Amino acid sequence: MEDLVRIRDLTVRFHTYEGVVYAIDDLDLDIRQGETLGIVGETGSGKTMTALAILRLIPYPGRIESGSIVFFDKGLRSELELLKLSEDKMRSIRGCKISMVFQEPGSALNPVYTIGDQISEVYLLHQRQELGRQAKRRIDSLLGNGGTLAASIKRPFWRWQSRLYNKIAEGSNPLEPRILSHIPLFRRLLWRLKDEAGLLTVSMLKDVEIPDPDRVAGRYPHELSGGMKQRAVIAMALACSPELLIADEPTTSLDVTIQAQMLELFRRIKADRGASVLFITHNLGVAAEVCDRVAVMYAGRLCEVAGVEEIFLHPMHPYTKALLEAVPMPGKELQTIPGALADAFNPPPGCRFHPRCPSAMPTCQHERPKLKEVAKDHMVACYLY
Amino acid sequence: MELRSYIIRRVLLLIPVLIGVTLFIFGITMLFPPAQRATLYVTNMRQLSDLPAIIQKYGLDKPFFVQYGTWLNQVLHGNLGWSRAISMPVAQAIPHLLPATLELAIFAVPLIVLVGIFLGTKAATHKDKPLDHGTRVVAILGWSLPSFWLGLVLMMIFYGYFSGLLPPGRLGVQMDILVDSAAFIRYTHINTIDAILNLNGPVLLDALRHLILPVMTLSVINMAFIMRLMRSSMLESLGKGYILTARAKGLAEKVVVNKHARRNALIPVITVSGYLFAGLASGAVITETIFSFKGIGWWAWQAAVMLDIPSVLAFALFTATLFVVINLLVDILYTRVDPRVRLGGAVQ
């Protein structure tokens, strides 16, 4: 399978008053076309930062210090170095080719705008031309029929509207609609774009299995349940059929029955659309459920990457083993990992897991293990192998 | 329907508020002994020897609630008493003086609120950068300048040093005469608006010339407050999850700030702006007095100095009513800005 995103030597640091936080340290990771890659790790292991780095949305005072993130654009058949793109170009990728679903559906939606408005926004931003084409088609059909008096009076107006929307459909930022969209009252003349976006929104809401999508589109976030909000957020992320969907713990804040529905939804989305999914979770059960491959992160570094069956049946890295031991099972005493998560300001030298590792060797204390392929499609960063 | 019943409920609530306010102020005036209050009714020296007769005549030695009842009865019949401060019935004084105060508020409030919101937003988006520090210095300066001092200094510079460039009062002598003549129709008694309606350029310019300094004095102080409030509220809004969502959608930073963050950040600013307008419309006492801008605030000052009790009571009634009404308007405005707010309920 070909790669969709190739991350190399990615380093993200936060320069705070207390010191430098090593959020991500020399990370190499590939996301392949059409797969679901899970990133698993404890809180603070750099899972979310990896996702935000791909979108170049690392919050201040964080910074991507070095590395490269190459994105293979299927539509354009070209390679894009995301870290070198201009901000404008990057914006055209966010929400369009790569989109993200956040952990808390409650705070991810703006409380003062309706669900419909917030999803339409994505269409109006990224698919303006397509919307213009649709609007023009609709006006042309109005022009075509009707010989009534009212229709003949409105005809010149429709003709002008048809020309206007045609300009939008042709793209290249034409002057007339650009001027109109800046003048408060005249902006209304472009209402058909909004209408078309609204129609797409409703069909998108239907796609994520929201009952009664017409009504829900007009609702405000606080009027919906947590599961519905998360579906709306997913609808927003899928609006432009992205090539990569990043899901940052999308089920963590939902209760278990809704979680199961949501995982089912993700599986279906992937099957229907063939998009790649980067699924971030701290729940191994969830990872086993939806992922094709799993990457395990610890303290900003990658420990192990392998196919989902491989990693659950033959875990190699001591941290992965410890994590799997720590999954609660009936009739078995719960194992914990001794020690605490590495200090973000002063991470241990060498392998970051060595202070907690049962099989640590002298080399582990001062030399960083490299990620190497020890079996087919199974990479581990550990001196045991 | 929900809106109308809410308005009716809130207006009914005004009655106990007004009774409470007047009881309080009436109670304070009752602290003076009857003889002292009787002197306030004296119009010539001969009456001074006959204070008991005055006390008898106006019932000044009757129990508190009887006197309050008498006053309330008079008020309900439209008689608010005689204002000695400006020598006219109180009921006429308010419509006579309100246009000046409103004129001040109409110019000052939009300036304060719009510039405050603009600078507050800029400070928040440039957090810890020079622009943020700059606005902070200006805000602290503005906030810590007392308005009587700032007003006097401005007057010393623009009226004293530049000999009469920006004079106090509402209009120059010539314009005052012109405005009262038959050639000039007083639609609203707000000079600038009347000048525009009469298409009279010189009056408009003269009115604006007199407005600059008081509006400036009011703005500098209040703007600092709105600006700081907007900044903190905007910073809070910018840290919310939906801002990250908006950025992840690919929206330009300008849209993220002006559409997604600002609307949420405006909610506390609306409350404060409402009170600000109520405060200014019920008279900027110090500013109006310094610039002898004869409005409600100037009258309140005169009344307080001259122990003009009917005027002080009327001023209290007016202010309380204004605050309740503005509060109502702010509540209604809330529901327009934040859909989570329901009239008569709390945020869900």
Side-chain angles (χ1 to χ4, degrees):
Chain A
M1 254 191 296
E2 278 178 54
D3 290 338
L4 178 69
V5 174
R6 191 181 293 150
I7 303 172
R8 289 289 174 268
D9 307 321
L10 181 69
T11 302
V12 175
R13 286 184 195 155
F14 280 69
H15 299 266
T16 66
Y17 286 120
E18 288 88 30
V20 179
V21 177
Y22 296 80
I24 301 175
D25 198 20
D26 268 342
L27 182 89
D28 291 353
L29 188 65
D30 301 328
I31 304 169
R32 297 174 187 165
Q33 305 269 13
E35 76 165 353
T36 301
L37 173 67
I39 301 187
V40 178
E42 289 167 71
T43 308
S45 60
K47 296 170 295 186
T48 304
M49 283 308 143
T50 309
L52 290 177
I54 296 175
L55 283 171
R56 267 179 44 191
L57 285 175
I58 299 281
Y60 183 84
R63 238 185 13 227
I64 299 174
E65 301 272 318
S66 61
S68 94
I69 300 177
V70 176
F71 175 70
F72 295 84
D73 191 324
K74 258 189 288 183
L76 293 173
R77 290 165 184 279
S78 61
E79 292 187 15
L80 297 172
E81 169 53 82
L82 296 184
L83 299 185
K84 292 207 178 87
L85 285 185
S86 71
E87 187 54 33
D88 275 352
K89 200 95 176 93
M90 195 61 216
R91 269 207 299 273
S92 71
I93 287 178
R94 281 185 207 132
C96 183
K97 310 253 179 198
I98 304 176
S99 61
M100 187 157 174
V101 173
F102 294 93
Q103 183 170 358
E104 285 279 344
S107 64
L109 291 167
N110 195 328
V112 300
Y113 294 107
T114 60
I115 302 288
D117 277 349
Q118 295 187 53
I119 299 174
S120 297
E121 210 175 15
V122 181
Y123 288 114
L124 288 167
L125 186 68
H126 295 297
Q127 300 195 349
R128 217 174 139 79
Q129 295 191 23
E130 181 57 34
L131 296 176
R133 243 191 308 277
Q134 288 288 346
K136 181 181 182 301
R137 213 166 294 151
R138 220 166 284 263
I139 298 168
D140 286 348
S141 78
L142 279 175
L143 274 169
N145 61 33
T148 60
L149 185 66
S152 54
I153 292 170
K154 284 181 188 162
R155 190 148 291 154
F157 174 69
W158 284 343
R159 269 200 209 103
W160 173 72
Q161 285 256 298
S162 172
R163 269 205 309 280
L164 184 69
Y165 286 112
N166 196 34
K167 275 182 196 162
I168 294 171
E170 279 164 5
S172 69
N173 215 353
L175 189 64
E176 198 176 345
R178 209 168 63 202
I179 294 171
L180 284 179
S181 65
H182 283 290
I183 306 170
L185 270 173
F186 289 100
R187 206 177 287 160
R188 302 253 168 103
L189 289 170
L190 298 170
W191 64 276
R192 273 172 201 279
L193 286 184
K194 270 196 166 170
D195 265 26
E196 296 298 335
L199 289 177
L200 289 176
T201 300
V202 170
S203 78
M204 191 67 236
L205 286 174
K206 203 191 257 161
D207 229 36
V208 292
E209 291 154 21
I210 284 184
D212 206 355
D214 282 301
R215 269 221 347 263
V216 169
R219 289 290 175 86
Y220 289 98
H222 70 278
E223 296 171 311
L224 303 180
S225 68
M228 290 280 253
K229 271 186 256 186
Q230 191 60 291
R231 282 173 195 273
V233 172
I234 293 169
M236 195 190 294
L238 290 175
C240 286
S241 309
E243 287 167 33
L244 174 63
L245 174 68
I246 302 171
D248 184 6
E249 310 218 15
T251 60
T252 306
S253 64
L254 305 173
D255 57 47
V256 184
T257 48
I258 309 287
Q259 257 187 37
Q261 292 175 14
M262 219 51 80
L263 296 182
E264 192 49 50
L265 180 66
F266 270 103
R267 225 170 303 158
R268 195 177 59 79
I269 288 164
K270 214 192 75 184
D272 286 1
R273 298 173 177 253
S276 302
V277 180
L278 181 64
F279 200 98
I280 298 170
T281 181
H282 64 256
N283 187 330
L284 290 168
V286 168
E289 194 100 346
V290 290
C291 298
D292 300 320
R293 286 197 309 147
V294 174
V296 181
M297 279 187 82
Y298 182 79
R301 282 185 193 166
L302 213 52
C303 302
E304 188 166 5
V305 189
V308 65
E309 276 182 35
E310 175 79 5
I311 211 159
F312 280 97
L313 296 177
H314 311 291
M316 290 187 176
H317 198 282
Y319 178 62
T320 316
K321 284 181 187 164
L323 268 185
L324 289 169
E325 287 292 308
V327 175
M329 294 270 212
K332 190 193 84 172
E333 200 180 320
L334 187 65
Q335 299 288 311
T336 55
I337 306 175
L341 186 63
D343 180 2
F345 293 106
N346 288 306
C351 174
R352 290 202 176 162
F353 189 60
H354 83 259
R356 304 169 78 183
C357 183
S359 31
M361 296 176 286
T363 25
C364 298
Q365 289 171 20
H366 41 79
E367 239 167 289
R368 177 185 174 168
K370 292 228 161 47
L371 201 65
K372 52 185 177 231
E373 190 159 8
V374 290
K376 192 178 177 296
D377 260 349
H378 195 149
M379 318 264 277
V380 182
C382 183
Y383 283 116
L384 289 174
Y385 304 97
Chain B
M1 200 53 225
E2 188 201 14
L3 183 66
R4 196 204 287 171
S5 69
Y6 181 72
I7 292 174
I8 291 171
R9 248 193 313 167
R10 288 291 295 268
V11 170
L12 287 179
L13 197 71
L14 188 55
I15 296 168
V17 169
L18 292 185
I19 290 178
V21 167
T22 49
L23 265 180
F24 180 69
I25 297 189
F26 205 84
I28 291 176
T29 64
M30 292 298 281
L31 294 176
F32 295 106
Q36 199 168 348
R37 273 180 291 133
T39 57
L40 300 176
Y41 292 89
V42 170
T43 45
N44 58 48
M45 293 309 275
R46 264 180 293 127
Q47 283 177 319
L48 264 183
S49 54
D50 205 13
L51 282 182
I54 293 175
I55 292 173
Q56 195 67 29
K57 187 180 168 199
Y58 292 104
L60 297 181
D61 54 351
K62 296 245 176 70
F64 174 73
F65 282 104
V66 176
Q67 289 193 45
Y68 181 71
T70 317
W71 177 79
L72 203 61
N73 190 31
Q74 292 284 314
V75 169
L76 291 178
H77 286 88
N79 179 11
L80 282 157
W82 177 263
S83 169
R84 291 187 306 125
I86 53 170
S87 311
M88 66 165 74
V90 172
Q92 283 175 28
I94 294 179
H96 178 73
L97 294 166
L98 188 59
T101 299
L102 276 185
E103 185 166 39
L104 212 51
I106 287 169
F107 279 91
V109 172
L111 185 74
I112 293 166
V113 172
L114 294 181
V115 177
I117 287 175
F118 176 78
L119 288 179
T121 309
K122 280 272 171 268
T125 51
H126 292 78
K127 184 172 178 271
D128 294 334
K129 302 230 170 77
L131 199 142
D132 185 27
H133 295 306
T135 54
R136 178 178 304 156
V137 170
V138 172
I140 292 171
L141 260 177
W143 211 342
S144 43
L145 294 179
S147 57
F148 69 86
W149 182 85
L150 182 65
L152 286 176
V153 167
L154 284 176
M155 196 137 69
M156 273 164 66
I157 297 171
F158 292 102
Y159 188 52
Y161 185 75
F162 290 107
S163 53
L165 182 65
L166 300 173
R170 282 189 73 194
L171 280 177
V173 182
Q174 272 180 317
M175 295 301 163
D176 232 3
I177 296 166
L178 174 69
V179 157
D180 285 332
S181 69
F184 194 90
I185 308 164
R186 306 303 301 259
Y187 297 97
T188 58
H189 286 269
I190 294 174
N191 291 337
T192 43
I193 294 177
D194 283 351
I196 292 168
L197 291 176
N198 280 294
L199 298 175
N200 194 326
V203 173
L204 180 66
L205 282 180
D206 195 53
L208 289 177
R209 202 157 70 103
H210 286 79
L211 270 169
I212 290 174
L213 287 189
V215 166
M216 225 161 111
T217 309
L218 288 174
S219 303
V220 166
I221 290 147
N222 293 304
M223 201 187 287
F225 184 59
I226 298 274
M227 193 165 85
R228 297 302 290 171
L229 185 72
M230 186 66 195
R231 177 185 178 271
S232 61
S233 160
M234 194 73 188
L235 280 179
E236 193 195 323
S237 183
L238 280 172
K240 289 274 170 66
Y242 51 80
I243 296 300
L244 194 57
T245 310
R247 286 193 181 127
K249 270 183 195 173
L251 291 173
E253 194 57 27
K254 209 172 79 184
V255 183
V256 173
V257 171
N258 291 351
K259 186 176 171 191
H260 284 272
R262 179 130 79 197
R263 180 123 175 229
N264 285 284
L266 277 180
I267 292 163
V269 176
I270 287 173
T271 324
V272 173
S273 304
Y275 285 125
L276 185 72
F277 184 77
L280 291 189
S282 67
V285 177
I286 293 171
T287 307
E288 284 185 12
T289 308
I290 289 173
F291 293 100
S292 41
F293 202 88
K294 294 180 181 166
I296 301 278
W298 170 84
W299 174 50
W301 154 259
Q302 295 286 320
V305 168
M306 294 178 69
L307 264 185
D308 179 359
I309 293 168
S311 296
V312 172
L313 279 167
F315 178 71
L317 274 179
F318 173 74
T319 308
T321 312
L322 199 66
F323 265 83
V324 171
V325 170
I326 298 270
N327 215 341
L328 175 65
L329 290 180
V330 166
D331 281 356
I332 294 170
L333 199 58
Y334 266 167
T335 62
R336 297 275 164 266
V337 178
D338 189 344
R340 286 168 299 177
V341 179
R342 290 269 157 269
L343 287 176
V347 174
Q348 284 172 7

